[in-house]
Amino acid sequence: MATPVTDPAILALLEPPDEKKVVPVTDPAILAQLEGKPAKEEKGTFQTIREAVHSPTRILENAYFMGLGDRARAGMDAIIGKGDYGSNLKNEQAQTGQFEADHPLASPVISGVGGVAAPLGMIGAAGKAATTGGKMLLGSLVGGGIGGLQGGLSSKDWTDVGQTAKDTGVGVGVGGLLGGSIPLVGKAASAGYKALADALSKPEGISRGASRHLIEALQADGIPRVQSELDRLGPDAVLGDTGPAMLGKLQGSVLNSDEGRSIGITALTDRNTGTNARIMSDTNRALGPAEDPQTVTNAIRARRSEIDSKAYPAALDNAPEVKTAHILTSLDNAITNSVGMEKKALTNLKGMLTKTEQKPLLDSEGYPQYDRLGNERFQETSVSQNDANVLHKVKGELDNVIQYDAPGLGVPAGALTRQQAALKSFRNELNKTLEDQVPGYAAANRESAALAKRGEAVEAGTQYLGSGKTTPSPDRFAAEFDPLSQGEKIAFAKGSRGNIERVLGTKANDLQALRGELQGEGGWNTAKIGTVHGQEAADELAASVDRNLKFRDTYNKVVENSQTAQRQAAARAMKPEPSSETPLIFPGSTVAGVTSTVAKKAFAAALNAVRPDPTKSFGEVARILSAQGSERDRHLLALVDALSRRQGNAALAPQIGDRAALVAALLGNGYAQSHPTQNQLR
């Protein structure tokens, strides 16, 4: 027989003053008294430990099996004969509810860990979408489905269809809200982590305000491009030369800050002033120092005269008589077939190759004839010139006319410019005759000719660059240059170096024109300079011009293009423009209106006074972007290090966001499962 209930606390639970606030009895001890069972004995240590482990486990099981844990345990007990299913289910649900009520903080955590499948499903579904909106939609749909399934399975009495449907609906709503919020939580956590990590990744030696602008520019232009440009442009380059973003930041700092303007313009102007000196220095390093071509030519001629004055007399003074009858015979034929100035020149040449001699006048029997006074009679006869010295001088006369168009052979200068074939033929024949018959003459010729060719090579070296129709291609020029002797190549290079110096001296201020002179159409001149001075030297010379062209371009864009803005800013500073605002007091103004305007102005002035100056760091930006050499490299290293760390932060941020979203989803799901929302909705 059941023992009547007399405990006031139990009676208060069974008969509360407010019938609407009925609290279900779940305490096993109270349930035992209501069912007439004897009160339980005091728990032992082992039983206490067992219950301490078992209670959290049931929460974990319920979450993992989506609300079926209590039912699974009740069914297992009924199968082994330990009570009926209905009583066992009520007991299991009562114990679960009691643990949740006693542990409002631990219960959601344990439930969240056990219910990891649901959040993982939501996150996996959301991750399949490309946009945040798509992630939220997919997460909400999957979360709603999983939440509805959990709500329905977790409903305490499936026979109560209405309550089960209500629990399912609540699960759909909570799960949908949870699944839709996961992408937002992840994005917020990702952004928060990145912002904090980036704030801690400040470049060494650079202020936070300046680093923001500089890192943005470095990221936009790219670290490889910036480093490659600095390698190409050398130690005189500044970061503002390396890319559009870097250049834009330098322009902005110069245009919008007096300090930035002073620093940036001064640095770029100083560098621009040194353009000529830099190019000259680069050219000297690549090609060696320059010599004036005419000075070189004069030295070669002086040396040739010195050698000729010794070598030719040594051969000619002891020369035998030279036989030239064969030349005179050919000359007579040529005179007969020539006209005009050529006939005159050939006739005069014949006169030089002959001489008049006094020969005895003989009678018919071959005896000398005498005049009335008994003196022997003579007659003048033209014979071939056989004196080697005279013949050598005749050859010199021919050279003057042929090589230099000088007056000679009785004709004015240039008279035979287009009629030298015959003269050249006789000059060569005369030279061969002297070499064949005068010992030492050929050797003297070779030494003199070698020096003459060197002089000609100097002059050729001043004329081989160009872009005209007759300018040889690089291949044709190389084919003509290669057979020259080493001495001629050296002389040619001296002429070339002198001409390049002339070009630098006359074109250095116009770098585009200078590049045109030294590179030519399609790089022909650069290729030919490489043939004469070596390809490495030619490339270095071209690179110097290109570097300084880049420096000049930066100077023009930053300094010259900013002059208009600077003049306008100075004009405004010296003569402020009239205000466009409505006057404070005007005929239609009221006290309230004036008071409101004054308050607004005061507030605006106070706000401007405490607001950070956005241009405060522009001077530092200009200084870093216009720095050179080791200072520039130090700043770049700091920026690269900071950007690399920020890129690492950006790569890690999504993972941090995913983990934060998972933790939030686990806790939210655990709270939704363990919090007695469904019971409150009954």
Side-chain angles (χ1 to χ4, degrees), residues 456-469:
E456 294 169 359
V458 173
E459 183 178 0
T462 66
Q463 300 173 355
Y464 75 111
L465 299 179
S467 57
K469 293 182 179 180

Side-chain angles (χ1 to χ4, degrees), residues 20 23 30 39 41 50 99 135 138 167 250 270-271 303 372 407 420 425 428 458 483 496 499 528 536 563 573 635 645:
K20 294 182 179 180
V23 180
I30 297 176
E41 299 178 358
R50 179 179 177 278
F99 182 84
K135 293 179 186 293
L138 287 179
D167 292 341
L250 181 54
D270 288 345
R271 184 178 69 170
R303 176 61 176 163
R372 294 176 183 178
Q420 294 184 356
S425 175
N428 293 336
V458 173
S496 170
N499 184 59
K528 289 189 282 189
E536 183 178 351
Q563 294 302 312
H635 291 315
R645 281 183 281 148

Side-chain angles (χ1 to χ4, degrees), residues 445-508:
N445 263 351
R446 284 193 297 272
E447 197 167 2
S448 180
L451 289 172
K453 289 180 179 180
R454 291 184 188 183
E456 294 169 359
V458 173
E459 183 178 0
T462 66
Q463 300 173 355
Y464 75 111
L465 299 179
S467 57
K469 293 182 179 180
T470 60
T471 300
S473 68
D475 290 340
R476 180 159 68 89
F477 173 76
E480 294 172 354
F481 182 81
D482 187 64
L484 299 180
S485 69
Q486 188 61 30
E488 290 173 83
K489 289 179 178 179
I490 293 173
F492 194 106
K494 288 181 179 292
S496 170
R497 177 66 183 90
N499 184 59
I500 291 173
E501 187 78 1
R502 178 192 63 78
V503 172
L504 292 176
T506 58
K507 304 287 186 180

Side-chain angles (χ1 to χ4, degrees), residues 642-665:
L643 179 56
S644 298
R645 281 183 281 148
R646 292 192 180 192
Q647 290 172 338
N649 297 338
L652 185 59
Q655 302 177 33
I656 298 296
D658 290 344
R659 283 158 178 72
L662 177 60
V663 172

Side-chain angles (χ1 to χ4, degrees), residues 1-219:
M1 182 175 178
T3 303
V5 177
T6 58
D7 189 334
I10 298 176
L11 292 173
L13 291 172
L14 297 175
E15 300 176 358
D18 187 354
E19 295 182 357
K20 294 182 179 180
K21 297 183 178 179
V22 177
V23 180
V25 178
T26 58
D27 190 335
I30 297 176
L31 291 173
Q33 292 186 43
L34 292 176
E35 295 175 3
K37 297 179 181 179
K40 292 184 179 179
E41 299 178 358
E42 289 294 326
K43 299 177 182 178
T45 302
F46 179 77
Q47 184 179 0
T48 302
I49 295 173
R50 179 179 177 278
E51 291 182 358
V53 174
H54 182 64
S55 296
T57 304
R58 71 171 57 254
I59 302 295
L60 197 64
E61 291 173 351
N62 270 338
Y64 186 77
F65 292 109
M66 304 184 76
L68 296 178
D70 289 340
R71 286 184 167 81
R73 285 189 297 273
M76 291 296 295
D77 287 345
I79 291 173
I80 64 177
K82 186 179 178 181
D84 62 89
Y85 174 76
S87 298
N88 291 343
L89 178 59
K90 289 181 180 179
N91 184 44
E92 292 291 340
Q93 290 176 338
Q95 293 185 52
T96 300
Q98 187 64 42
F99 182 84
E100 291 173 345
D102 293 343
H103 303 85
L105 297 179
S107 180
V109 175
I110 298 172
S111 182
V113 173
V116 68
L120 286 176
M122 300 174 195
I123 292 174
K128 295 179 180 179
T131 64
T132 302
K135 293 179 186 293
M136 293 177 64
L137 178 60
L138 287 179
S140 179
L141 292 175
V142 175
I146 295 174
L149 183 61
Q150 286 180 330
L153 295 177
S154 300
S155 186
K156 294 189 178 298
D157 186 0
W158 288 352
T159 62
D160 187 348
V161 177
Q163 184 60 43
T164 301
K166 186 183 293 185
D167 292 341
T168 301
V170 171
V172 170
V174 173
L177 180 63
L178 188 62
S181 64
I182 285 176
L184 292 178
V185 173
K187 188 173 183 179
S190 175
Y193 167 79
K194 186 176 183 305
L196 178 61
D198 286 352
L200 299 176
S201 302
K202 186 179 77 68
E204 183 179 356
I206 301 176
S207 70
R208 200 173 304 280
S211 66
R212 178 173 64 85
H213 295 287
L214 296 170
I215 290 178
E216 284 178 357
L218 179 60
Q219 187 170 20

Side-chain angles (χ1 to χ4, degrees), residues 313-659:
L316 296 171
D317 290 349
N318 299 313
E321 290 186 353
V322 180
K323 298 176 181 179
T324 60
H326 62 289
I327 299 177
L328 291 172
T329 301
S330 299
L331 189 55
D332 286 337
N333 293 331
I335 292 172
T336 302
N337 297 320
S338 62
V339 295
M341 287 293 177
E342 184 181 44
K343 188 180 187 70
K344 182 177 181 181
L346 293 176
T347 301
N348 290 333
L349 175 60
K350 180 181 178 181
M352 293 180 180
L353 292 178
T354 59
K355 62 180 180 178
T356 301
E357 289 187 350
Q358 295 279 338
K359 287 188 175 182
L361 186 62
L362 302 179
D363 57 19
S364 58
E365 295 180 359
Y367 293 103
Q369 294 184 14
Y370 296 92
D371 59 15
R372 294 176 183 178
L373 299 177
N375 297 320
E376 188 176 5
R377 298 178 63 185
F378 292 88
Q379 63 178 358
E380 290 185 354
T381 304
S382 292
V383 296
S384 60
Q385 179 62 260
N386 56 13
D387 189 316
N389 274 295
V390 174
L391 295 175
H392 175 69
K393 291 177 182 179
V394 171
K395 190 187 79 170
E397 182 86 357
L398 285 169
D399 286 339
N400 288 334
V401 174
I402 294 171
Q403 296 181 15
Y404 308 110
D405 283 330
L409 299 178
V411 297
L416 298 175
T417 301
R418 298 180 182 179
Q419 295 175 301
Q420 294 184 356
L423 293 179
K424 289 179 180 179
S425 175
F426 286 113
R427 187 266 179 204
N428 293 336
E429 185 66 24
L430 177 59
N431 182 66
K432 184 177 183 305
T433 299
L434 289 170
E435 288 185 347
D436 291 343
Q437 299 182 37
V438 178
Y441 191 83
N445 263 351
R446 284 193 297 272
E447 197 167 2
S448 180
L451 289 172
K453 289 180 179 180
R454 291 184 188 183
E456 294 169 359
V458 173
E459 183 178 0
T462 66
Q463 300 173 355
Y464 75 111
L465 299 179
S467 57
K469 293 182 179 180
T470 60
T471 300
S473 68
D475 290 340
R476 180 159 68 89
F477 173 76
E480 294 172 354
F481 182 81
D482 187 64
L484 299 180
S485 69
Q486 188 61 30
E488 290 173 83
K489 289 179 178 179
I490 293 173
F492 194 106
K494 288 181 179 292
S496 170
R497 177 66 183 90
N499 184 59
I500 291 173
E501 187 78 1
R502 178 192 63 78
V503 172
L504 292 176
T506 58
K507 304 287 186 180
N509 288 326
D510 187 349
L511 295 180
Q512 289 291 354
L514 176 61
R515 180 164 66 175
E517 289 275 358
L518 297 180
Q519 294 184 3
E521 295 293 333
W524 274 23
N525 286 348
T526 301
K528 289 189 282 189
I529 291 174
T531 299
V532 177
H533 298 280
Q535 194 58 49
E536 183 178 351
D539 291 342
E540 187 174 350
L541 180 60
S544 175
V545 177
D546 286 341
R547 282 196 301 271
N548 285 281
L549 266 172
K550 181 62 178 177
F551 299 160
R552 179 66 58 80
D553 181 63
T554 300
Y555 171 83
N556 288 336
K557 288 178 178 177
V558 175
V559 179
E560 296 297 334
N561 290 355
S562 67
Q563 294 302 312
T564 300
Q566 293 176 44
R567 286 192 292 269
Q568 292 173 348
R572 285 194 298 269
M574 299 300 294
K575 183 180 180 181
E577 296 177 358
S579 174
S580 60
E581 297 181 359
T582 303
L584 182 61
I585 299 176
F586 57 95
S589 62
T590 63
V591 174
V594 172
T595 303
S596 174
T597 302
V598 170
K600 289 179 180 178
K601 288 180 176 290
F603 177 76
L607 184 63
N608 290 333
V610 299
R611 180 184 298 166
D613 181 7
T615 67
K616 183 179 180 180
S617 62
F618 284 7
E620 183 181 4
V621 171
R623 177 175 56 79
I624 292 172
L625 291 178
S626 61
Q628 296 174 303
S630 60
E631 182 184 359
R632 175 204 70 193
D633 294 340
R634 177 169 53 83
H635 291 315
L636 177 61
L637 184 62
L639 291 171
V640 169
D641 178 65
L643 179 56
S644 298
R645 281 183 281 148
R646 292 192 180 192
Q647 290 172 338
N649 297 338
L652 185 59
Q655 302 177 33
I656 298 296
D658 290 344
R659 283 158 178 72

